């Protein structure tokens, strides 16, 4: 009754909050396509405003901090020194526009994405709504790129750009959700539909040429598919089916003569060293590690460009980051912040082992692995706010405690009494019972009144 009353006070909360939270993460990908570029409003700003409203209403109803939300607060507190060193409020602020924008987004959109799941996506139903919203954004990005191609860039890869990155991340996440959800479906026809949809999303990732999302989705699918999942088919059959997908995928990509499949196969075959994109990122990672060794306390968010060599700087001028979240935090925020990020991810990884069995837990465990692995090869800290949101969602999943089975006679917790041999009646004849009136009384279980006492 109390649950129904709470839902009636805030109608649509199970849908509105999760949908707009995922919109905060993926709306920028949709806005970057040619089909929605004409919109006069920023979809990310609209999604953020609605998410803030839902979070405030949820906080006013509970008037308490959610469980595990302190981990996010502590992590962001470690970002304060790097934010002030070259942030908008710093007296050392120079003409670097990327630094100011990076700090602003870090403390607004990215922080909101990391905290909102504790208020918005805190039940299994809301987690499933969020998962289906991820699928919706993946389908939207893929469909709009095919139906409304960019005049300068078709959906088949021509050059690296925001459209291909959007398709890779959104379609890769949608592919993973559909594939994992297929394990929990009992109807064979619906299971076939889900796996066919996952293959379609995987084909979109391949044609976009996004190698990071493709390999991240493959690793996450492998780990989740081979783990123990409650309510699914035989684990051995599932492992065989999962492992059989990879030789088929390699054979299928080898038949594709496109540039996108060629780039992916080049990485698989170990020939990525001659790739221009991979070489540039390796130069940035080397420069960031050298900077971190010279400045253990960090150089400030967005200020890596001031310490790079001319051969390491890309054509994006101020926007220079090593495309690796840990290396980026180590160079710009320092060793302490890097250790805080590692600890934050380690806590999430430890929980994934125990919350992966249920349907919503398996889906968001897979998405967490997907976004964490993708953050190691793509984007800066604000581009990877889906990773912070996915980690926060896994922290909202209740993990069942393991019960230890003790050998020997039962122990009654209230009295702390272990029954002895004389206390147990071996037969109906009364052998082994104390004689009536002998001054001894058979101990009763807690809360049970002996028959002699009830008779008196």
């Amino acid at each position: 009754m109390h649950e129904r009353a709470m839902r009636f006070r805030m109608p649509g909360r199970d849908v509105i909050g999760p949908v707009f939270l995922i919109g905060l993460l993926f709306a920028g990908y949709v806005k970057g396509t040619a089909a929605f570029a004409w919109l006069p409003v920023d979809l990310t700003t609209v999604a953020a405003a609605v998410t803030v409203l839902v979070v405030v209403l949820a906080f006013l109803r509970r008037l308490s901090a959610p469980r595990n939300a302190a981990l996010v607060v502590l992590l962001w507190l470690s970002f304060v020194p790097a934010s002030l060193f070259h942030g908008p409020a710093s007296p050392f602020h120079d003409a670097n526009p990327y630094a100011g924008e990076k700090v602003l987004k870090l403390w607004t959109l990215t922080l909101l994405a990391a905290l909102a799941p504790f208020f918005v996506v805190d039940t299994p139903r809301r987690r499933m709504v969020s998962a289906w919203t991820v699928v919706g954004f993946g389908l939207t990005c893929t469909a709009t790129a095919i139906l409304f191609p960019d005049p300068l860039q078709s959906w088949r890869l021509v050059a690296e750009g925001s459209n291909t990155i959007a398709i890779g991340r959104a379609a890769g996440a949608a592919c993973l959700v559909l594939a994992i959800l297929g394990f929990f479906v009992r109807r064979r026809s619906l299971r076939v539909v889900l796996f066919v949809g996952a293959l379609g999303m995987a084909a979109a990732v391949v044609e976009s040429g996004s190698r990071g999302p493709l390999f991240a989705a493959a690793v996450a699918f492998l780990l989740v598919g081979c783990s123990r999942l409650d309510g699914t088919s035989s684990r051995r059959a599932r492992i065989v089916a999962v492992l059989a997908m990879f030789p088929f995928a390699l054979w299928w990509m080898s038949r594709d003569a496109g540039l996108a499949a060629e780039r992916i196969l080049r990485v698989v075959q170990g020939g990525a060293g001659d790739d221009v994109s991979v070489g540039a990122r390796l130069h940035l990672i080397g420069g960031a590690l050298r900077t971190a060794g010279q400045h253990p306390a960090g150089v400030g968010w967005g200020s890596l460009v001031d310490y790079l060599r001319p051969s390491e700087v890309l054509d994006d001028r101020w926007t220079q980051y090593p495309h690796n979240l840990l290396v980026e935090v180590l160079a710009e925020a320092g060793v302490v912040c890097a250790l805080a990020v590692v600890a934050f991810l380690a806590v999430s990884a430890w929980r994934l082992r125990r919350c992966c069995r249920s349907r919503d837990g398996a889906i968001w465990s897979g998405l967490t692995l997907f976004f964490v692995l993708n953050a190691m090869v793509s984007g800066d800290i604000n581009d990877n706010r889906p990773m912070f949101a996915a980690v926060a969602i896994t922290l909202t999943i209740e993990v069942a405690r393991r019960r230890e089975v003790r050998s020997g006679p039962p122990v009654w917790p209230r009295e702390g009494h272990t029954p002895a041999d004389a206390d147990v009646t071996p037969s109906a004849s009364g052998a082994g019972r104390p004689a009536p009136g002998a001054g001894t009384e058979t101990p009763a279980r807690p809360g049970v009144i002996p028959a002699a006492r009830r008779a008196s």
Side-chain angles (χ1 to χ4, degrees), residues 89-422:
S90 171
F92 307 102
H93 181 60
D94 51 16
N96 185 351
Y98 172 64
E101 182 182 0
K102 190 171 187 176
V103 172
L104 180 62
K105 289 184 177 180
L106 180 65
W107 286 91
T108 53
L109 297 179
T110 308
L111 178 59
L112 178 62
L115 279 178
F118 296 100
F119 299 92
V120 175
V121 194
D122 54 349
T123 63
R125 182 179 179 181
R126 293 166 188 166
R127 286 189 284 268
M128 290 306 303
V129 172
S130 302
W132 280 110
T133 308
V134 171
V135 175
F137 273 102
L139 292 173
T140 302
C141 290
T142 305
T144 53
I146 296 174
L147 298 177
F148 305 94
D150 193 323
L152 301 179
Q153 179 184 17
S154 64
W155 89 289
R156 284 180 174 270
L157 181 69
V158 176
E160 290 243 3
S162 59
N163 286 357
T164 58
I165 296 176
I167 294 172
R169 292 180 180 177
C175 169
L176 190 60
V177 172
L178 293 175
I180 296 176
L181 191 60
F183 292 139
F184 292 89
V185 175
R186 297 185 179 274
R187 293 179 56 184
R188 184 173 299 179
S189 58
L190 184 56
R191 186 183 304 172
V192 171
V193 171
L194 291 174
F195 282 130
V196 169
L199 290 175
M201 291 292 97
V205 180
V206 171
E207 294 298 338
S208 69
S210 299
R211 294 160 293 185
L214 182 64
F215 290 110
V219 173
F221 179 66
L222 175 64
L223 294 179
V224 175
C226 295
S227 61
R228 294 184 179 181
L229 305 178
D230 294 338
T232 59
S233 58
S234 173
R235 184 186 182 189
R236 186 176 302 174
R238 189 167 9 99
I239 292 175
V240 172
V242 169
L243 295 178
M245 292 294 296
F246 293 94
F248 173 77
L250 292 176
W251 171 80
W252 177 59
M253 285 189 297
S254 63
R255 293 172 57 88
D256 191 350
L259 177 60
E262 180 184 350
R263 296 180 70 208
I264 296 174
L265 284 175
R266 191 184 307 164
V267 176
V268 175
Q269 297 171 358
D274 56 347
D275 190 284
V276 177
S277 176
V278 174
R281 296 184 183 189
L282 291 177
H283 281 294
L284 281 172
I285 290 177
L289 292 176
R290 186 187 67 253
T291 303
Q294 298 173 353
H295 304 275
V299 297
W301 292 116
S303 301
L304 180 62
V305 63
D306 299 331
Y307 301 88
L308 295 176
R309 296 171 181 172
S311 59
E312 299 168 342
V313 179
L314 301 182
D315 297 334
D316 297 333
R317 298 189 63 186
W318 296 106
T319 310
Q320 306 292 328
Y321 50 88
H323 293 78
N324 183 290
L325 179 66
L326 296 180
V327 176
E328 176 189 2
V329 175
L330 180 64
E332 297 186 351
V335 178
V336 175
C337 292
L339 294 177
V341 173
V342 171
F344 181 72
L345 297 179
V347 171
S348 175
W350 179 255
R351 288 177 57 87
L352 293 184
R353 298 172 59 251
R354 301 177 61 184
C355 67
C356 185
R357 295 189 175 186
S358 63
R359 182 179 59 173
D360 59 313
I363 290 175
W364 280 104
S365 297
L367 287 176
T368 300
L369 291 172
F370 170 78
F371 288 120
V372 169
L373 294 175
N374 186 68
M376 299 301 113
V377 295
S378 178
D380 65 354
I381 190 170
N382 292 316
D383 293 334
N384 289 299
R385 58 176 174 261
M387 183 203 74
F388 292 103
V391 171
I393 290 175
T394 58
L395 292 176
T396 64
I397 301 176
E398 293 292 337
V399 178
R401 297 182 179 179
R402 297 180 179 178
R403 296 182 179 180
E404 298 182 358
V405 180
R406 299 180 179 179
S407 59
V411 177
W412 299 335
R414 190 176 301 177
E415 298 290 339
H417 175 73
T418 302
D421 295 337

Side-chain angles (χ1 to χ4, degrees), residues 26-44 137 141 163 166:
F26 292 98
Y29 299 157
V30 176
K31 186 68 166 58
T33 60
F36 296 96
W38 56 272
L39 290 177
V41 297
D42 190 352
L43 298 179
T44 303
F137 273 102
C141 290
N163 286 357

